[in-house]
Amino acid sequence: MGAGRLYAAVATGGFRRYATYRAATAAGVFTNTAFGLILVYTYLALWEEKPHLGGYDQAQAVTFVWLGQALYATLAIQGGGFEVEFMERIRTGEVAIDLYRPVDLQGWWLANDLGRALFQLLGRGVVPFAFGALVFETALPDDVGTWSAFLVSVALAMVVSFGIRYLVALTGFWLIDGTGALQALMVTGIFCSGMTLPLNAFPGTLGEIVRALPWAAQVQVPADVLMGTAAPLPSFLFQGAWAVVLLAAGRLLQTAAARRVVVQGG
Amino acid sequence: MGEYRPLTEGLRAYRLIAGMWVRSTLTYRASFAMTAFGGLVVTGLDFVTIVLMFSRVDVLGGYSLPEVAFLYGLSATSFGLADLAIGSADRLGRRVRDGTLDILLVRPAPVLAQVAADRFALRRIGRVAQGSLVLGYALIASDIAWTPVKALMVPGMLVCGGAIFSAVFVAGAAFQFVAQDASEVQHAFTYGGQTLLQYPPTVFGKELVRGVTFMFPLAFVNWVPAAYVLGRPYPLGGLPRWAAFAPPLVAVGCCAAAALAWRAGLRSYRSTGS
Amino acid sequence: MDAFIEVDRVEKVFEVRRRTGFMKRVKRQVRAVDSLSFTVARGEMVGYIGPNGAGKSTTVKMLTGILMPSAGRLRVAGIDPSRDRTRLAHRIGVVFGQRTTLWWDLPLIDSYRLAHRMYRIPDARYRENLERCVELLELGALLDVPVRQLSLGQRMRGDIAAALLHDPEVLYLDEPTIGLDVVSKAKVRGFLKELNAGSGTTVLLTTHDLQDIEQLCSRVMVIDHGRLMYDGALAGLHEAGEGERTLVVDLERELPPIEAPSCRVVRVAGPRQWLAFPAGRSAAPLVAHIAAEYPLVDLSVREPDIEAVIAKMYAEKAVS
């Protein structure tokens, strides 16, 4: 089987697996919708007080909320993607077997996680987003071009999200208990992605910093591409650059980890 | 053998099992320290968000920062107490799925106490600590016209709020007997509820406020009694003046309803064994 | 006879919902246990066997008070398990073969200390029981080892000890030897034999490993599709399943297959021949006949393979 076909099969497997959790998906949709509602009202109050905060109007702020909820599971912003299983395999030592497989470890998990992300986008993202768009006034484009650019941006965001979580998961080779690393992932994921407040509403230097970090590639950039508040090409470049850097760092760390496993005798 | 008293037995089993979990976590001291600190940061972030918002505005929904901090402190601390005491109950679905719930059922102790103490995590005290800090700041920074009654109401709100959130956790666990994969639904009410109550009721749509006052009475954790303490109008116009003193009643009602739900859930598990 | 466990026409019906389409579901009733009746006397050691999904674990779950029966009457030590679950818990011990009740990250002894307090075991009693378990199950060196570092066999022994500290009158074992190596299996079986003989603890054992039953139980209950198919001595099971024993005959030289009444030669390899004869019959007349007619060097009798017997029983049931 060719490498492309293999990775496609792995991705399909990831998609299918999450598709079997119907009750969990429905529960997630409900929860994302509930959180979206809460956030929308607080944002409306905030933008009422300070119109054009961060360059957004009220409709754009509302759109940002629902986009965040739609991408929440897709980008595993709080964790909960492939890394749970991967870290378990590292913990139990089963990863030693994976390292000797003829398949590339990083590529395998990337394909698996992209499959999962695609399912979450359709299964968990669409309904809260549609709900938000129907019930509240949103700022959505009406041309196919912008929507396509948005989808490209979301795909890049998936890769960036994978890159971050792959690095976090690899720490499992050095730390006995992964809870701390996962918690750090949770904190940065929520705060630096803009899940609690759009990054362009962050004040001063703090704002400049968070907007340059890789987490900005997750919700903020796709949102700006969708609402036309950022040009697509520079946005893709920003996301692509972070994706490359993170994947390369993951590869380096993976090599070190593999050496460690070999030294320890598996 | 003496008469079997579920409450005393339950508390005793809870203490024993929670003690075992504390010992378990302390076998990884470094990790414990890290996660305790991490927990503090995670929960602190939503307050940081509020502070960030107030760096751009002076009032939100008509409430000042100290006033919002008051709501936040009450909500976070009482939620933290409930989460510390009973937060692991949302693992029930997993126990039902993998069959380990049966292990709890053959022990001579009430199942609810065992489920509540399951994976007892001392690090969750971080949330209580962080919530208390914010509450402390609010008490200092806001200009409340204190009376003895109002002063008494603050600890009262924490206890009643903790009880109300605990009831939500138990009801959520009971729901997992029916839908084992749906633990996230409960997050909408627990974490979602906590987040909701951190903001002034004036921010939200009237329907939503009505819902969390009459149908799902989270408003009695802080919104209604805090409005009294802050000397603000109640979130809903029609509420009688004594509504601020209703939290103990609401808490008892919620706990009773949760207990009934739990019994029904356990009963259905024991008759279907799903 | 003092009936310690009484099961009288007990039924357990589950409602199973199966997904047939995207949103469609059909409800179907499954009778996991169907009009089951038996009694177990105090001090008996009974093997409870049957294929997967036969109703074994459902029965054990009802006997331990985890599940409520849909119909029928059930008593363990005079207690209705589903009504008085916690009171019963003090009098029974349960070992789930594949799910440990021990505390993963803590030294083995900590799990025992918890049992000491949770079951309110008097101090002297606890020390005595622990000492005995430690000795017989060879746990001495393991008490201070975190459970996660124990091997499967060590953990099983640890689990059995944990279930016995409060002096249960009956011990339920669910697959106690699953996944264990030969040595560990032997240790576990030796201990159970000792326990049953020494303390008179009633033991109910579900297993897939028929050697467990052969070596431990004088009585076997076979269940399939929720119904009791057989209840009696192990020897009788062979007859019920029309099992055959095998006589292995070593002759002085290679000869044509032996001809003898009511037996048939199943295999010939040089001077050695294998003869199958009904399990219910004595081997003596057959041996006498062969000794008289053939140049006999040596012989031995092999007991039938129970697995084959049970498989045959099920197969026949399915046909009829």
Side-chain angles (χ1 to χ4, degrees), chain B residues 4 9 12 16-17 20-21 23-24 28 98-99 102-103 105-109 111 267 269-273, chain C residues 12 14 61 65-68 82 85-86 89-90 96 99-101 103 105-106 110 114 117-120 148:
Chain B
Y4 181 69
E9 283 297 304
R12 185 170 177 273
L16 288 174
I17 295 172
M20 292 293 273
W21 280 110
R23 291 165 58 99
S24 286
Y28 302 109
D98 66 16
D102 293 347
I103 293 173
L105 274 156
V106 297
R107 287 193 187 142
V111 182
R267 203 183 164 76
Y269 174 79
R270 293 180 67 199
S271 58
T272 63
Chain C
K12 184 71 207 174
F14 294 124
K61 281 183 184 177
I66 294 170
L67 286 182
M68 297 186 279
S82 65
R85 185 184 67 73
T86 34
H90 282 283
F96 298 100
R99 290 169 238 144
T100 183
T101 58
W103 289 73
D105 286 319
L106 296 177
D110 285 13
L114 177 71
R117 302 186 57 193
M118 184 171 276
Y119 285 87
R120 298 179 194 275
R148 70 186 130 85

Short mmCIF file of all heavy atoms in Angstrom, two decimals, chain B residues 4 9 12 16-17 20-21 23-24 28 98-99 102-103 105-109 111 267 269-273, chain C residues 12 14 61 65-68 82 85-86 89-90 96 99-101 103 105-106 110 114 117-120 148:
data_model
loop_
_atom_site.label_atom_id
_atom_site.label_comp_id
_atom_site.label_asym_id
_atom_site.label_seq_id
_atom_site.Cartn_x
_atom_site.Cartn_y
_atom_site.Cartn_z
N TYR B 4 -28.21 0.26 60.68
CA TYR B 4 -27.38 0.77 59.59
C TYR B 4 -27.76 2.20 59.28
O TYR B 4 -28.90 2.50 58.93
CB TYR B 4 -27.59 -0.11 58.36
CG TYR B 4 -26.78 0.33 57.20
CD1 TYR B 4 -25.39 0.18 57.21
CD2 TYR B 4 -27.38 0.89 56.08
CE1 TYR B 4 -24.64 0.58 56.15
CE2 TYR B 4 -26.63 1.29 55.01
CZ TYR B 4 -25.26 1.14 55.04
OH TYR B 4 -24.51 1.55 53.98
N GLU B 9 -22.34 6.13 57.84
CA GLU B 9 -21.53 5.16 57.11
C GLU B 9 -20.95 5.79 55.85
O GLU B 9 -19.80 5.56 55.51
CB GLU B 9 -22.38 3.95 56.72
CG GLU B 9 -22.64 2.99 57.85
CD GLU B 9 -21.35 2.37 58.37
OE1 GLU B 9 -20.62 1.77 57.58
OE2 GLU B 9 -21.10 2.50 59.59
N ARG B 12 -18.13 8.14 56.65
CA ARG B 12 -16.96 7.37 57.08
C ARG B 12 -16.26 6.76 55.86
O ARG B 12 -15.04 6.89 55.72
CB ARG B 12 -17.43 6.27 58.03
CG ARG B 12 -16.31 5.49 58.63
CD ARG B 12 -16.83 4.59 59.73
NE ARG B 12 -15.72 3.81 60.24
CZ ARG B 12 -15.34 2.66 59.73
NH1 ARG B 12 -15.97 2.16 58.70
NH2 ARG B 12 -14.31 2.02 60.24
N LEU B 16 -12.46 7.50 54.39
CA LEU B 16 -11.47 6.44 54.17
C LEU B 16 -10.96 6.44 52.74
O LEU B 16 -9.76 6.39 52.49
CB LEU B 16 -12.10 5.07 54.48
CG LEU B 16 -12.36 4.76 55.95
CD1 LEU B 16 -13.13 3.45 56.09
CD2 LEU B 16 -11.04 4.67 56.70
N ILE B 17 -11.91 6.51 51.78
CA ILE B 17 -11.51 6.41 50.38
C ILE B 17 -10.76 7.67 49.94
O ILE B 17 -9.74 7.59 49.27
CB ILE B 17 -12.74 6.15 49.49
CG1 ILE B 17 -13.33 4.79 49.85
CG2 ILE B 17 -12.39 6.21 48.02
CD1 ILE B 17 -14.64 4.49 49.18
N MET B 20 -7.28 7.47 50.96
CA MET B 20 -6.46 6.61 50.11
C MET B 20 -6.02 7.36 48.86
O MET B 20 -4.90 7.23 48.40
CB MET B 20 -7.26 5.36 49.70
CG MET B 20 -7.56 4.41 50.82
SD MET B 20 -6.10 3.61 51.51
CE MET B 20 -5.95 2.20 50.43
N TRP B 21 -6.94 8.16 48.30
CA TRP B 21 -6.58 8.89 47.07
C TRP B 21 -5.54 9.96 47.35
O TRP B 21 -4.65 10.20 46.55
CB TRP B 21 -7.83 9.51 46.42
CG TRP B 21 -8.57 8.48 45.64
CD1 TRP B 21 -9.79 7.95 45.95
CD2 TRP B 21 -8.13 7.82 44.45
NE1 TRP B 21 -10.14 7.01 45.02
CE2 TRP B 21 -9.14 6.91 44.09
CE3 TRP B 21 -7.00 7.91 43.67
CZ2 TRP B 21 -9.06 6.08 42.97
CZ3 TRP B 21 -6.90 7.10 42.54
CH2 TRP B 21 -7.92 6.19 42.20
N ARG B 23 -3.25 9.77 49.61
CA ARG B 23 -1.98 9.05 49.70
C ARG B 23 -1.47 8.66 48.32
O ARG B 23 -0.27 8.74 48.05
CB ARG B 23 -2.16 7.80 50.55
CG ARG B 23 -2.40 8.11 52.01
CD ARG B 23 -2.93 6.87 52.70
NE ARG B 23 -1.99 5.77 52.56
CZ ARG B 23 -1.14 5.42 53.48
NH1 ARG B 23 -1.12 6.08 54.61
NH2 ARG B 23 -0.31 4.43 53.31
N SER B 24 -2.40 8.23 47.45
CA SER B 24 -1.99 7.85 46.10
C SER B 24 -1.35 9.02 45.37
O SER B 24 -0.30 8.87 44.75
CB SER B 24 -3.20 7.38 45.28
OG SER B 24 -3.60 6.11 45.70
N TYR B 28 3.31 10.75 43.95
CA TYR B 28 3.96 11.54 42.90
C TYR B 28 3.97 12.99 43.36
O TYR B 28 3.17 13.80 42.90
CB TYR B 28 3.17 11.46 41.59
CG TYR B 28 2.98 10.09 41.04
CD1 TYR B 28 1.73 9.48 41.07
CD2 TYR B 28 4.04 9.40 40.46
CE1 TYR B 28 1.54 8.20 40.55
CE2 TYR B 28 3.86 8.13 39.94
CZ TYR B 28 2.62 7.54 39.98
OH TYR B 28 2.44 6.30 39.46
N ASP B 98 -16.83 0.39 32.01
CA ASP B 98 -15.81 -0.65 32.15
C ASP B 98 -16.13 -1.65 33.26
O ASP B 98 -15.34 -2.54 33.56
CB ASP B 98 -14.42 -0.03 32.33
CG ASP B 98 -14.27 0.74 33.63
OD1 ASP B 98 -15.10 0.55 34.52
OD2 ASP B 98 -13.31 1.51 33.76
N GLY B 99 -17.30 -1.50 33.88
CA GLY B 99 -17.74 -2.51 34.84
C GLY B 99 -17.15 -2.38 36.23
O GLY B 99 -17.42 -3.20 37.10
N ASP B 102 -19.24 -2.19 39.71
CA ASP B 102 -19.61 -3.38 40.47
C ASP B 102 -18.73 -3.57 41.70
O ASP B 102 -19.19 -4.07 42.73
CB ASP B 102 -19.51 -4.62 39.58
CG ASP B 102 -20.57 -4.60 38.48
OD1 ASP B 102 -21.49 -3.77 38.58
OD2 ASP B 102 -20.47 -5.40 37.55
N ILE B 103 -17.48 -3.15 41.59
CA ILE B 103 -16.58 -3.28 42.73
C ILE B 103 -17.10 -2.44 43.90
O ILE B 103 -17.07 -2.87 45.04
CB ILE B 103 -15.15 -2.83 42.34
CG1 ILE B 103 -14.58 -3.82 41.32
CG2 ILE B 103 -14.26 -2.73 43.56
CD1 ILE B 103 -13.25 -3.40 40.75
N LEU B 105 -20.17 -1.72 44.40
CA LEU B 105 -21.45 -2.26 44.86
C LEU B 105 -21.31 -3.46 45.80
O LEU B 105 -22.26 -3.85 46.45
CB LEU B 105 -22.32 -2.64 43.66
CG LEU B 105 -23.14 -1.49 43.08
CD1 LEU B 105 -23.48 -1.73 41.64
CD2 LEU B 105 -24.42 -1.30 43.89
N VAL B 106 -20.13 -4.08 45.83
CA VAL B 106 -19.98 -5.21 46.77
C VAL B 106 -19.25 -4.78 48.04
O VAL B 106 -18.92 -5.61 48.86
CB VAL B 106 -19.27 -6.42 46.12
CG1 VAL B 106 -20.09 -6.96 44.96
CG2 VAL B 106 -17.86 -6.07 45.67
N ARG B 107 -19.01 -3.48 48.20
CA ARG B 107 -18.42 -3.01 49.44
C ARG B 107 -19.51 -2.58 50.41
O ARG B 107 -20.57 -2.11 49.99
CB ARG B 107 -17.51 -1.80 49.16
CG ARG B 107 -16.22 -2.17 48.48
CD ARG B 107 -15.30 -0.98 48.55
NE ARG B 107 -14.09 -1.19 47.77
CZ ARG B 107 -13.50 -0.23 47.06
NH1 ARG B 107 -14.03 0.98 47.02
NH2 ARG B 107 -12.40 -0.46 46.40
N PRO B 108 -19.25 -2.70 51.70
CA PRO B 108 -20.30 -2.37 52.68
C PRO B 108 -20.39 -0.88 52.94
O PRO B 108 -20.24 -0.43 54.07
CB PRO B 108 -19.83 -3.12 53.93
CG PRO B 108 -18.34 -3.12 53.81
CD PRO B 108 -18.03 -3.19 52.36
N ALA B 109 -20.61 -0.10 51.90
CA ALA B 109 -20.72 1.35 52.07
C ALA B 109 -21.62 1.89 50.98
O ALA B 109 -21.70 1.31 49.90
CB ALA B 109 -19.35 1.99 51.99
N VAL B 111 -23.00 3.61 47.83
CA VAL B 111 -22.30 3.80 46.56
C VAL B 111 -22.02 5.28 46.29
O VAL B 111 -20.96 5.64 45.81
CB VAL B 111 -23.14 3.20 45.40
CG1 VAL B 111 -22.40 3.34 44.08
CG2 VAL B 111 -23.42 1.74 45.67
N ARG B 267 -31.01 2.58 40.82
CA ARG B 267 -32.01 1.53 40.71
C ARG B 267 -32.08 1.01 39.27
O ARG B 267 -32.14 -0.19 39.03
CB ARG B 267 -33.37 2.08 41.13
CG ARG B 267 -34.32 1.01 41.56
CD ARG B 267 -35.69 1.53 41.92
NE ARG B 267 -36.60 0.39 41.94
CZ ARG B 267 -36.64 -0.49 42.92
NH1 ARG B 267 -35.84 -0.36 43.96
NH2 ARG B 267 -37.47 -1.52 42.87
N TYR B 269 -29.72 1.10 37.11
CA TYR B 269 -28.50 0.33 36.83
C TYR B 269 -28.63 -1.08 37.39
O TYR B 269 -28.29 -2.06 36.75
CB TYR B 269 -27.28 1.01 37.46
CG TYR B 269 -26.02 0.17 37.33
CD1 TYR B 269 -25.30 0.14 36.14
CD2 TYR B 269 -25.56 -0.61 38.39
CE1 TYR B 269 -24.18 -0.64 36.00
CE2 TYR B 269 -24.43 -1.39 38.26
CZ TYR B 269 -23.74 -1.40 37.06
OH TYR B 269 -22.61 -2.18 36.93
N ARG B 270 -29.16 -1.16 38.62
CA ARG B 270 -29.22 -2.47 39.26
C ARG B 270 -30.29 -3.35 38.65
O ARG B 270 -30.30 -4.55 38.86
CB ARG B 270 -29.43 -2.30 40.76
CG ARG B 270 -28.22 -1.67 41.42
CD ARG B 270 -28.41 -1.51 42.90
NE ARG B 270 -28.49 -2.79 43.56
CZ ARG B 270 -29.02 -2.95 44.78
NH1 ARG B 270 -29.52 -1.92 45.41
NH2 ARG B 270 -29.05 -4.14 45.33
N SER B 271 -31.22 -2.75 37.91
CA SER B 271 -32.20 -3.63 37.28
C SER B 271 -31.83 -3.92 35.83
O SER B 271 -32.26 -4.91 35.27
CB SER B 271 -33.61 -3.05 37.38
OG SER B 271 -33.64 -1.79 36.79
N THR B 272 -31.00 -3.06 35.23
CA THR B 272 -30.62 -3.35 33.84
C THR B 272 -29.19 -3.82 33.72
O THR B 272 -28.84 -4.56 32.81
CB THR B 272 -30.77 -2.10 32.95
OG1 THR B 272 -29.87 -1.12 33.44
CG2 THR B 272 -32.17 -1.57 32.96
N GLY B 273 -28.34 -3.39 34.66
CA GLY B 273 -26.95 -3.79 34.61
C GLY B 273 -26.25 -3.34 33.35
O GLY B 273 -25.22 -3.87 33.00
N LYS C 12 -33.87 -13.19 35.15
CA LYS C 12 -33.37 -11.83 34.91
C LYS C 12 -33.59 -11.51 33.44
O LYS C 12 -33.05 -12.16 32.55
CB LYS C 12 -31.88 -11.75 35.24
CG LYS C 12 -31.31 -10.36 35.11
CD LYS C 12 -31.81 -9.46 36.19
CE LYS C 12 -31.81 -8.01 35.75
NZ LYS C 12 -32.42 -7.12 36.73
N PHE C 14 -33.38 -8.59 30.55
CA PHE C 14 -32.85 -7.28 30.16
C PHE C 14 -33.59 -6.80 28.94
O PHE C 14 -33.99 -7.59 28.09
CB PHE C 14 -31.37 -7.38 29.79
CG PHE C 14 -30.49 -7.73 30.93
CD1 PHE C 14 -29.65 -8.82 30.86
CD2 PHE C 14 -30.48 -6.96 32.08
CE1 PHE C 14 -28.81 -9.14 31.90
CE2 PHE C 14 -29.65 -7.28 33.13
CZ PHE C 14 -28.81 -8.37 33.04
N LYS C 61 -23.83 -11.62 39.86
CA LYS C 61 -24.20 -10.25 40.20
C LYS C 61 -25.47 -10.20 41.03
O LYS C 61 -25.64 -9.34 41.88
CB LYS C 61 -24.37 -9.41 38.93
CG LYS C 61 -23.05 -8.96 38.33
CD LYS C 61 -23.28 -8.10 37.11
CE LYS C 61 -21.97 -7.73 36.45
NZ LYS C 61 -22.19 -6.95 35.22
N GLY C 65 -25.82 -9.00 45.09
CA GLY C 65 -26.65 -7.83 45.34
C GLY C 65 -26.41 -6.69 44.37
O GLY C 65 -26.98 -5.62 44.53
N ILE C 66 -25.57 -6.92 43.37
CA ILE C 66 -25.33 -5.85 42.38
C ILE C 66 -26.58 -5.67 41.52
O ILE C 66 -27.03 -4.55 41.30
CB ILE C 66 -24.11 -6.20 41.50
CG1 ILE C 66 -22.84 -6.21 42.34
CG2 ILE C 66 -23.99 -5.20 40.35
CD1 ILE C 66 -21.63 -6.76 41.62
N LEU C 67 -27.14 -6.78 41.07
CA LEU C 67 -28.33 -6.72 40.23
C LEU C 67 -29.55 -7.24 40.98
O LEU C 67 -29.44 -8.11 41.83
CB LEU C 67 -28.14 -7.58 38.98
CG LEU C 67 -27.22 -7.05 37.89
CD1 LEU C 67 -27.22 -8.02 36.72
CD2 LEU C 67 -27.67 -5.68 37.42
N MET C 68 -30.69 -6.68 40.63
CA MET C 68 -31.94 -7.16 41.22
C MET C 68 -32.57 -8.15 40.26
O MET C 68 -32.67 -7.87 39.07
CB MET C 68 -32.89 -5.98 41.45
CG MET C 68 -32.34 -4.97 42.43
SD MET C 68 -33.52 -3.67 42.82
CE MET C 68 -33.31 -2.61 41.41
N SER C 82 -30.41 -8.16 47.05
CA SER C 82 -30.68 -6.87 46.43
C SER C 82 -31.27 -5.88 47.43
O SER C 82 -31.14 -4.68 47.27
CB SER C 82 -31.61 -7.03 45.22
OG SER C 82 -32.85 -7.50 45.64
N ARG C 85 -27.99 -5.12 50.46
CA ARG C 85 -26.68 -5.20 49.83
C ARG C 85 -25.53 -4.95 50.81
O ARG C 85 -24.59 -5.72 50.88
CB ARG C 85 -26.62 -4.17 48.69
CG ARG C 85 -25.39 -4.20 47.87
CD ARG C 85 -25.42 -3.07 46.85
NE ARG C 85 -25.34 -1.75 47.47
CZ ARG C 85 -24.26 -1.24 48.02
NH1 ARG C 85 -23.16 -1.93 48.03
NH2 ARG C 85 -24.27 -0.04 48.56
N THR C 86 -25.62 -3.86 51.58
CA THR C 86 -24.49 -3.52 52.44
C THR C 86 -24.33 -4.50 53.61
O THR C 86 -23.21 -4.78 54.02
CB THR C 86 -24.62 -2.09 53.00
OG1 THR C 86 -25.99 -1.81 53.21
CG2 THR C 86 -24.08 -1.10 52.01
N ALA C 89 -22.69 -7.48 52.24
CA ALA C 89 -21.29 -7.24 51.85
C ALA C 89 -20.31 -7.68 52.93
O ALA C 89 -19.20 -8.10 52.63
CB ALA C 89 -21.10 -5.77 51.52
N HIS C 90 -20.74 -7.59 54.19
CA HIS C 90 -19.86 -8.00 55.28
C HIS C 90 -19.64 -9.51 55.31
O HIS C 90 -18.72 -9.99 55.94
CB HIS C 90 -20.45 -7.58 56.63
CG HIS C 90 -20.26 -6.12 56.91
ND1 HIS C 90 -19.07 -5.61 57.33
CD2 HIS C 90 -21.11 -5.07 56.81
CE1 HIS C 90 -19.19 -4.30 57.50
NE2 HIS C 90 -20.42 -3.95 57.19
N PHE C 96 -13.02 -10.30 41.31
CA PHE C 96 -13.26 -10.17 39.88
C PHE C 96 -11.93 -10.42 39.18
O PHE C 96 -10.99 -9.64 39.35
CB PHE C 96 -13.74 -8.76 39.52
CG PHE C 96 -15.04 -8.38 40.14
CD1 PHE C 96 -15.08 -7.58 41.27
CD2 PHE C 96 -16.24 -8.82 39.60
CE1 PHE C 96 -16.29 -7.20 41.84
CE2 PHE C 96 -17.44 -8.45 40.16
CZ PHE C 96 -17.47 -7.65 41.30
N ARG C 99 -10.65 -7.39 37.08
CA ARG C 99 -10.67 -6.02 37.62
C ARG C 99 -10.16 -6.08 39.04
O ARG C 99 -10.80 -6.67 39.90
CB ARG C 99 -12.09 -5.47 37.62
CG ARG C 99 -12.64 -5.20 36.26
CD ARG C 99 -14.12 -4.92 36.35
NE ARG C 99 -14.84 -5.87 35.54
CZ ARG C 99 -16.02 -6.37 35.85
NH1 ARG C 99 -16.60 -6.05 36.98
NH2 ARG C 99 -16.60 -7.21 35.06
N THR C 100 -9.05 -5.46 39.27
CA THR C 100 -8.50 -5.52 40.60
C THR C 100 -9.21 -4.54 41.52
O THR C 100 -9.67 -3.49 41.09
CB THR C 100 -6.98 -5.24 40.58
OG1 THR C 100 -6.49 -5.38 41.89
CG2 THR C 100 -6.69 -3.85 40.05
N THR C 101 -9.32 -4.90 42.78
CA THR C 101 -9.90 -3.98 43.75
C THR C 101 -8.78 -3.32 44.55
O THR C 101 -9.04 -2.57 45.47
CB THR C 101 -10.83 -4.72 44.72
OG1 THR C 101 -10.08 -5.75 45.36
CG2 THR C 101 -11.99 -5.35 44.01
N TRP C 103 -5.38 -0.97 45.33
CA TRP C 103 -5.06 0.43 45.01
C TRP C 103 -3.77 0.49 44.23
O TRP C 103 -2.70 0.16 44.74
CB TRP C 103 -4.98 1.26 46.29
CG TRP C 103 -6.33 1.44 46.85
CD1 TRP C 103 -7.07 0.48 47.47
CD2 TRP C 103 -7.16 2.58 46.75
NE1 TRP C 103 -8.30 0.98 47.79
CE2 TRP C 103 -8.39 2.26 47.37
CE3 TRP C 103 -7.00 3.87 46.22
CZ2 TRP C 103 -9.43 3.16 47.45
CZ3 TRP C 103 -8.05 4.76 46.31
CH2 TRP C 103 -9.24 4.41 46.93
N ASP C 105 -1.55 2.63 42.94
CA ASP C 105 -0.30 3.35 43.21
C ASP C 105 0.25 3.12 44.61
O ASP C 105 1.31 3.60 44.94
CB ASP C 105 -0.51 4.86 43.01
CG ASP C 105 -0.61 5.21 41.54
OD1 ASP C 105 0.17 4.64 40.76
OD2 ASP C 105 -1.46 6.02 41.18
N LEU C 106 -0.51 2.40 45.44
CA LEU C 106 -0.09 2.27 46.84
C LEU C 106 0.45 0.87 47.11
O LEU C 106 0.11 -0.08 46.42
CB LEU C 106 -1.28 2.55 47.76
CG LEU C 106 -1.84 3.97 47.69
CD1 LEU C 106 -3.05 4.11 48.59
CD2 LEU C 106 -0.78 4.98 48.10
N ASP C 110 -1.52 -1.27 52.03
CA ASP C 110 -2.49 -0.18 52.21
C ASP C 110 -3.90 -0.60 51.84
O ASP C 110 -4.88 -0.18 52.46
CB ASP C 110 -2.08 1.04 51.37
CG ASP C 110 -0.90 1.77 51.99
OD1 ASP C 110 -0.27 1.19 52.89
OD2 ASP C 110 -0.60 2.90 51.56
N LEU C 114 -7.16 -0.54 54.33
CA LEU C 114 -8.47 0.05 54.02
C LEU C 114 -9.58 -0.96 54.33
O LEU C 114 -10.59 -0.62 54.96
CB LEU C 114 -8.54 0.48 52.56
CG LEU C 114 -9.91 1.04 52.15
CD1 LEU C 114 -10.15 2.40 52.76
CD2 LEU C 114 -10.07 1.11 50.65
N ARG C 117 -10.45 -1.25 57.94
CA ARG C 117 -11.30 -0.21 58.51
C ARG C 117 -12.68 -0.18 57.87
O ARG C 117 -13.68 0.02 58.55
CB ARG C 117 -10.61 1.14 58.38
CG ARG C 117 -9.26 1.11 59.09
CD ARG C 117 -8.61 2.45 59.13
NE ARG C 117 -9.44 3.46 59.77
CZ ARG C 117 -9.21 4.75 59.70
NH1 ARG C 117 -8.17 5.18 59.01
NH2 ARG C 117 -9.99 5.59 60.31
N MET C 118 -12.72 -0.39 56.57
CA MET C 118 -14.02 -0.30 55.91
C MET C 118 -14.96 -1.42 56.37
O MET C 118 -16.15 -1.20 56.55
CB MET C 118 -13.86 -0.34 54.40
CG MET C 118 -15.18 -0.15 53.70
SD MET C 118 -15.00 0.07 51.95
CE MET C 118 -14.66 1.79 51.83
N TYR C 119 -14.41 -2.61 56.56
CA TYR C 119 -15.24 -3.73 57.01
C TYR C 119 -15.31 -3.82 58.54
O TYR C 119 -15.89 -4.74 59.08
CB TYR C 119 -14.69 -5.04 56.45
CG TYR C 119 -14.99 -5.23 54.98
CD1 TYR C 119 -14.14 -4.74 54.01
CD2 TYR C 119 -16.13 -5.92 54.58
CE1 TYR C 119 -14.41 -4.91 52.66
CE2 TYR C 119 -16.41 -6.10 53.23
CZ TYR C 119 -15.54 -5.59 52.27
OH TYR C 119 -15.82 -5.78 50.95
N ARG C 120 -14.66 -2.87 59.22
CA ARG C 120 -14.61 -2.87 60.68
C ARG C 120 -14.21 -4.24 61.21
O ARG C 120 -14.92 -4.85 62.03
CB ARG C 120 -15.98 -2.50 61.27
CG ARG C 120 -16.45 -1.12 60.91
CD ARG C 120 -17.82 -0.90 61.54
NE ARG C 120 -18.50 0.25 60.99
CZ ARG C 120 -18.32 1.50 61.43
NH1 ARG C 120 -17.50 1.74 62.41
NH2 ARG C 120 -18.97 2.50 60.85
N ARG C 148 0.92 -1.49 41.26
CA ARG C 148 1.19 -1.39 39.81
C ARG C 148 2.44 -2.17 39.41
O ARG C 148 2.63 -2.49 38.25
CB ARG C 148 1.28 0.07 39.38
CG ARG C 148 2.50 0.81 39.89
CD ARG C 148 2.44 2.28 39.53
NE ARG C 148 2.69 3.10 40.72
CZ ARG C 148 3.91 3.44 41.15
NH1 ARG C 148 4.96 3.05 40.50
NH2 ARG C 148 4.04 4.17 42.24
#
